[in-house]
Amino acid sequence: MPIVNHLINLHNNGNKIKKIYITAINLNFVVNSYKVLDKLIIYMIKDFNNYSKERGLNINLSLTYFSDLNNTKGYSDYDLTLSLLGKKHHKYDMFLYDMNYLKIYAPYLLELENYLPKKCIDLYSSENNNKLTVYNEHRLGLYYERYNIKIPKTWDELIETSNYVLNNERIKYNNTELVGYNGLFPNNENSVCSLYQILYSYRETKDSPLPEFTSQAGVDALNKLLEIKNKISSYKIFSIDEVYLLEQMYSDNILFVNFYSSLQIDTYITSPLPGKKEGINGSILGGYNIGINKNISEKRQKASIKVMEYFFSKNFQKDIVVKKFHFYSPIVEIYNDKNVCSVIDCKIIKESQFFIRPSSTMKNYNNFSKKVIKNMLNYLEGKKSIEEVLTNIDDINRIYYFTVKSIPGFIMFSLLLILFITVILSTSLLFLQKYCILFRFFSLDLWFMYTMGSVLMILSNVFYFEETTVIKCFFRQILKEFGNALIFIPILYKLLKILSHFRKKFKWIQKYKFRFILSLLSIHILFSILIIIFDTYKVKTINDMNDKNSIVCQYNKIPGIIVFLLQIAYNILLYVIVCILIFQEWNLKIIPMDLKPFTFTMIIDGINHIISSVFYIININNYIVNTIVHIYINFLYIFINHIYIFIIRVLLTKKKFPNENNRSWEDKLVKNVLLSSETSSNVKNTITFFDSDSDASIIIDDLK
């Protein structure tokens, strides 16, 4: 730890000199900023050190300065400062940072409300200041004529005044260098500021919120911007960087300039920006925060707080920031002080209507900023239309989701609704005497369980519509897999029951039907509960090739993922067992009539599961295609397992079956087995009935 040793001589009773070494704390103050603040920052460091010496604070403030000369990325490079904070560095104590990156720095900064005196905090507790210094409810920083014409208050007045002056300059003085307005759309963050400013100036009233980019106000604002560029300026002037802009200003080549109020040039008068109508304007409130590294020792934190208290005292702000350097202070109340207003124009602060960029509330502001800059420069250069640019900008943060209000959404929802109604109505066939022989493979309760599986599968698709949330991810997964189980378990039970007539070890299944079924279902219920407890899902925003954002379900924590995979594996296990049993009973030649269609559905289900797994692995970023594919796979699954079994099979069946309602399937099975064994050992396992309409054999039908 760097220290400074101060030698202090004390006289002891006038006879001896006692030498005492006091260790002073050396704090490192890191700055990454514009050149315009250089003099103020250097003065702040020197002034505090003098103050510390006078008060005996034993604190020395050192400056580590990253300017746009030794930093290739310039003022907008927050990565450098973040690297000094992100690895729990103890070397650097205090940071001056662009308040636009408050959200990024927040995890590494000391929560000042727990350290600074309430009186100091209250000085900076205006609504705008809080937006720039408070994040997650914690205070993380404090910041820092030749023609007799009037200043334009509307954009139309700006164009009219500029045209008048420019025409006179060309005619009377042959001045072709003068331009009316600079716009301030360089290839950096200032372009975002300028866009927000003109959009904010197109509100209807002072209290109106920022208009939407794709609103009529947004269209009008950008149309006016293009009109200004075409009539009194040029793309070259609109897109010049700050250095070249300053050269033009000092050369008096620009009539009206959009720039920061911190710059004072004698030939320019500072005023609020124009608006759509008089009384409405828009200005970006920005600047720098000072934060304290939360990873330094408590001793150094307390010393840093002393520095903060001094810099943000009312006297320092008035005497140094305002009076000496003519900067604006975030302390609102000082603009009622006549001494302050004699040095700076207090009307600007009072009349300007400030907008704060959404850098703290936006998930990825840096990405947003880059795309806005690119789109605005393309628009001003004439490469993109206004509709395209505004839609592109709006799309940067807009979340698209599959909705019933869209044509694809309406079609898919309608198909699901038709499918749902069909599934429910098709159960009526179970009660029609004409078709009862086709539905004797299951007892009535098993058919209802089977149908409920299809219903749950359909309901799982409903959670693909509208905005995706974590809750929807849970229900989508749980309903789908639980529905899957309700389809497989009745088939599994029935196959084991058939096999129990030939394998004594399965006899217990006949006696404990509901225990068997509930035990299998309880495993799924347990999996579903664990998926929720282990917080298996989170949502993730993805972006497709057309820059349209959508939200998808993504696996979150490893324990939850394991449970999810176990649930999938459990259903696969049920499926495999069903397939094995079907194969076993084909070998025994004891195939009930209704089992043939189920054999077909199992084959299709296997193919369907493979396709579903492939699309779960493949990342489809287009939200419409992704949703339709998954709904279609589920739709096909339900269609095969229910519509085919209940409806298509009935429509395709032209045979008339004998009415054998008076005999149980088990009785017929035992009797036929005995008869077959007595007649021929070669066919002892074959139990056959014959269709009255054909020579084809119909293998055993079940009455329950």
Side-chain angles (χ1 to χ4, degrees):
M1 179 187 299
I3 60 174
V4 177
N5 292 321
H6 292 283
L7 176 62
I8 301 178
N9 295 327
L10 297 178
H11 292 275
N12 185 11
N13 298 325
N15 297 319
K16 296 180 180 180
I17 296 178
K18 187 176 181 180
K19 295 183 178 180
I20 301 176
Y21 285 88
I22 298 179
T23 301
I25 299 175
N26 188 29
L27 299 177
N28 287 308
F29 191 91
V30 178
V31 176
N32 182 32
S33 68
Y34 274 133
K35 295 177 186 177
V36 71
L37 294 177
D38 286 4
K39 291 181 180 180
L40 172 61
I41 293 166
I42 293 170
Y43 186 89
M44 286 169 63
I45 303 299
K46 290 181 179 179
D47 192 64
F48 174 79
N49 286 333
N50 291 334
Y51 170 79
S52 176
K53 186 176 180 181
E54 291 172 3
R55 299 296 177 94
L57 298 179
N58 298 317
I59 300 171
N60 185 68
L61 199 58
S62 300
L63 177 65
T64 300
Y65 193 82
F66 296 100
S67 69
D68 50 4
L69 295 178
N70 60 17
N71 176 15
T72 56
K73 294 185 180 179
Y75 79 95
S76 63
D77 178 29
Y78 61 84
D79 298 324
L80 180 60
T81 305
L82 194 62
S83 68
L84 303 179
L85 287 163
K87 297 180 180 179
K88 294 190 176 181
H89 279 286
H90 299 85
K91 183 178 179 181
Y92 301 102
D93 306 282
M94 304 180 70
F95 294 84
L96 183 78
Y97 63 93
D98 191 327
M99 59 182 60
N100 198 45
Y101 305 114
L102 171 66
K103 180 180 178 180
I104 296 173
Y105 295 134
Y108 311 103
L109 299 177
L110 201 64
E111 296 161 3
L112 299 180
E113 73 273 14
N114 297 326
Y115 297 89
L116 283 173
K118 186 176 183 299
K119 184 178 179 181
C120 182
I121 292 288
D122 290 343
L123 282 174
Y124 296 86
S125 293
S126 67
E127 182 180 353
N128 284 330
N129 286 346
N130 288 343
K131 291 178 181 178
L132 294 169
T133 61
V134 176
Y135 182 70
N136 280 346
E137 299 182 358
H138 293 301
R139 176 83 61 169
L140 298 168
L142 293 173
Y143 74 89
Y144 211 78
E145 291 170 10
R146 182 182 288 174
Y147 298 92
N148 186 21
I149 54 176
K150 66 177 183 178
I151 296 174
K153 294 187 177 181
T154 68
W155 295 111
D156 288 332
E157 287 180 2
L158 176 74
I159 295 173
E160 182 182 352
T161 302
S162 297
N163 273 329
Y164 172 77
V165 174
L166 294 177
N167 288 333
N168 277 277
E169 285 291 311
R170 289 171 189 142
I171 295 171
K172 294 181 179 179
Y173 307 101
N174 196 29
N175 182 1
T176 58
E177 299 293 326
L178 186 66
V179 293
Y181 185 65
N182 70 312
L184 193 61
F185 284 91
N187 190 18
N188 59 43
E189 178 65 18
N190 278 329
S191 285
V192 183
C193 296
S194 299
L195 173 61
Y196 273 123
Q197 283 173 167
I198 193 166
L199 185 60
Y200 199 61
S201 74
Y202 265 73
R203 294 165 295 147
E204 287 300 319
T205 67
K206 287 183 179 181
D207 298 325
S208 300
L210 179 78
E212 294 285 339
F213 286 108
T214 53
S215 66
Q216 187 57 47
V219 174
D220 293 342
L222 261 67
N223 274 329
K224 185 59 65 177
L225 186 66
L226 198 62
E227 182 184 353
I228 294 170
K229 186 208 76 171
N230 293 335
K231 288 186 176 180
I232 60 173
S233 189
S234 65
Y235 173 75
K236 179 182 177 181
I237 297 298
F238 261 52
S239 60
I240 59 175
D241 61 29
E242 293 79 7
V243 175
Y244 186 68
L245 175 60
L246 288 173
E247 292 177 3
Q248 295 300 305
M249 290 174 68
Y250 281 111
S251 301
D252 294 334
N253 285 335
I254 303 180
L255 185 60
F256 296 106
V257 179
N258 176 15
F259 205 60
Y260 290 95
S261 59
S262 54
L263 180 67
Q264 303 292 326
I265 299 178
D266 293 337
T267 54
Y268 284 90
I269 298 173
T270 306
S271 68
L273 286 167
K276 175 185 176 182
K277 53 188 177 183
E278 191 169 338
I280 306 294
N281 61 67
S283 293
I284 293 296
L285 190 59
Y288 290 86
N289 287 337
I290 295 179
I292 299 174
N293 189 347
K294 68 189 299 183
N295 296 310
I296 59 177
S297 67
E298 184 179 354
K299 184 178 180 180
R300 296 169 73 80
Q301 287 179 2
K302 289 180 178 179
S304 299
I305 289 295
K306 290 291 184 183
V307 177
M308 295 281 278
E309 288 179 16
Y310 178 70
F311 284 157
F312 294 104
S313 66
K314 190 174 179 180
N315 288 335
F316 184 88
Q317 291 290 311
K318 282 176 58 177
D319 298 335
I320 306 302
V321 175
V322 177
K323 291 183 179 179
K324 186 172 182 64
F325 287 94
H326 296 182
F327 286 113
Y328 288 93
S329 169
I331 302 179
V332 178
E333 67 179 62
I334 68 174
Y335 298 110
N336 296 319
D337 189 318
K338 292 182 180 179
N339 292 326
V340 170
C341 296
S342 65
V343 177
I344 60 173
D345 189 354
C346 296
K347 287 184 178 180
I348 294 176
I349 295 295
K350 295 177 179 180
E351 293 178 2
S352 294
Q353 297 156 24
F354 295 109
F355 178 79
I356 298 171
R357 288 164 290 172
S359 56
S360 295
T361 57
M362 198 173 285
K363 188 173 182 180
N364 191 343
Y365 180 80
N366 194 38
N367 176 62
F368 171 80
S369 176
K370 290 177 180 178
K371 291 184 176 180
V372 167
I373 294 166
K374 181 180 178 181
N375 275 280
M376 286 306 299
L377 290 175
N378 284 333
Y379 170 67
L380 293 171
E381 198 174 1
K383 292 181 178 180
K384 289 187 177 181
S385 67
I386 186 171
E387 291 80 10
E388 187 178 3
V389 167
L390 287 174
T391 300
N392 288 346
I393 294 174
D394 186 66
D395 281 349
I396 297 171
N397 287 315
R398 182 174 293 280
I399 302 297
Y400 285 87
Y401 45 83
F402 201 69
T403 174
V404 179
K405 297 177 182 177
S406 66
I407 294 176
F410 179 77
I411 293 172
M412 295 307 295
F413 186 81
S414 299
L415 289 175
L416 288 174
L417 184 60
I418 293 170
L419 184 63
F420 177 80
I421 295 171
T422 305
V423 167
I424 298 299
L425 293 179
S426 65
T427 56
S428 63
L429 295 174
L430 297 172
F431 303 97
L432 296 178
Q433 185 68 26
K434 181 180 179 180
Y435 302 111
C436 67
I437 197 170
L438 291 175
F439 297 102
R440 290 185 297 177
F441 184 62
F442 291 151
S443 57
L444 206 58
D445 54 351
L446 292 182
W447 277 119
F448 280 130
M449 183 185 297
Y450 187 88
T451 302
M452 183 55 66
S454 297
V455 170
L456 292 182
M457 291 285 286
I458 295 172
L459 291 178
S460 72
N461 291 303
V462 174
F463 294 100
Y464 281 101
F465 291 86
E466 307 307 323
E467 185 175 356
T468 300
T469 63
V470 173
I471 297 297
K472 286 186 177 181
C473 295
F474 285 130
F475 277 107
R476 191 189 299 173
Q477 169 65 20
I478 291 170
L479 291 180
K480 179 184 175 183
E481 296 304 323
F482 203 77
N484 231 327
L486 289 176
I487 290 174
F488 286 142
I489 289 174
I491 303 174
L492 176 61
Y493 166 76
K494 198 62 185 181
L495 291 173
L496 288 173
K497 186 179 178 183
I498 295 171
L499 200 61
S500 69
H501 292 284
F502 302 92
R503 302 284 189 270
K504 290 183 178 180
K505 59 183 176 182
F506 295 118
K507 286 285 185 182
W508 63 272
I509 290 176
Q510 297 184 45
K511 185 176 180 180
Y512 300 108
K513 172 182 178 180
F514 291 106
R515 288 186 186 181
F516 173 76
I517 292 172
L518 287 175
S519 63
L520 294 179
L521 289 177
S522 64
I523 296 174
H524 252 300
I525 293 171
L526 177 62
F527 281 142
S528 299
I529 294 172
L530 290 176
I531 281 176
I532 296 175
I533 292 175
F534 288 138
D535 198 17
T536 304
Y537 285 104
K538 63 180 179 180
V539 292
K540 178 187 177 183
T541 302
I542 60 172
N543 185 268
D544 66 13
M545 63 179 63
N546 296 317
D547 274 344
K548 294 191 183 297
N549 303 306
S550 59
I551 296 177
V552 296
C553 298
Q554 191 177 54
Y555 306 123
N556 188 16
K557 297 179 180 178
I558 293 177
I561 297 173
I562 293 173
V563 174
F564 163 77
L565 293 175
L566 287 174
Q567 189 179 37
I568 299 293
Y570 179 65
N571 269 342
I572 293 174
L573 178 63
L574 293 178
Y575 172 79
V576 171
I577 293 174
V578 168
C579 291
I580 291 172
L581 290 174
I582 290 175
F583 178 76
Q584 177 73 17
E585 293 178 18
W586 271 90
N587 286 339
L588 291 172
K589 299 182 181 179
I590 336 172
I591 310 302
M593 177 182 61
D594 281 353
L595 192 54
K596 285 186 176 181
F598 283 112
T599 305
F600 170 72
T601 62
M602 288 299 107
I603 294 171
I604 301 301
D605 285 349
I607 297 171
N608 198 53
H609 277 298
I610 294 172
I611 295 172
S612 179
S613 300
V614 169
F615 279 104
Y616 268 109
I617 297 171
I618 297 174
N619 292 320
I620 304 176
N621 289 338
N622 186 292
Y623 71 101
I624 295 177
V625 175
N626 182 63
T627 305
I628 290 177
V629 165
H630 284 94
I631 291 179
Y632 177 76
I633 290 173
N634 289 340
F635 186 95
L636 181 62
Y637 184 86
I638 300 161
F639 187 87
I640 293 298
N641 284 280
H642 193 97
I643 304 301
Y644 173 76
I645 294 295
F646 271 78
I647 299 175
I648 296 177
R649 183 170 65 104
V650 172
L651 295 175
L652 293 178
T653 301
K654 297 179 181 179
K655 300 169 184 179
K656 296 179 181 179
F657 301 97
N659 187 355
E660 301 186 16
N661 290 328
N662 296 324
R663 298 174 61 194
S664 69
W665 186 88
E666 286 80 1
D667 290 342
K668 290 186 292 178
L669 175 66
V670 174
K671 184 175 181 179
N672 279 279
V673 169
L674 293 173
L675 289 172
S676 299
S677 63
E678 290 175 357
T679 55
S680 174
S681 59
N682 294 329
V683 292
K684 64 180 179 179
N685 290 331
T686 305
I687 305 105
T688 308
F689 297 102
F690 291 92
D691 185 356
S692 58
D693 290 343
S694 68
D695 293 331
S697 62
I698 298 178
I699 315 297
I700 299 171
D701 59 321
D702 187 4
L703 299 178
K704 286 190 177 180

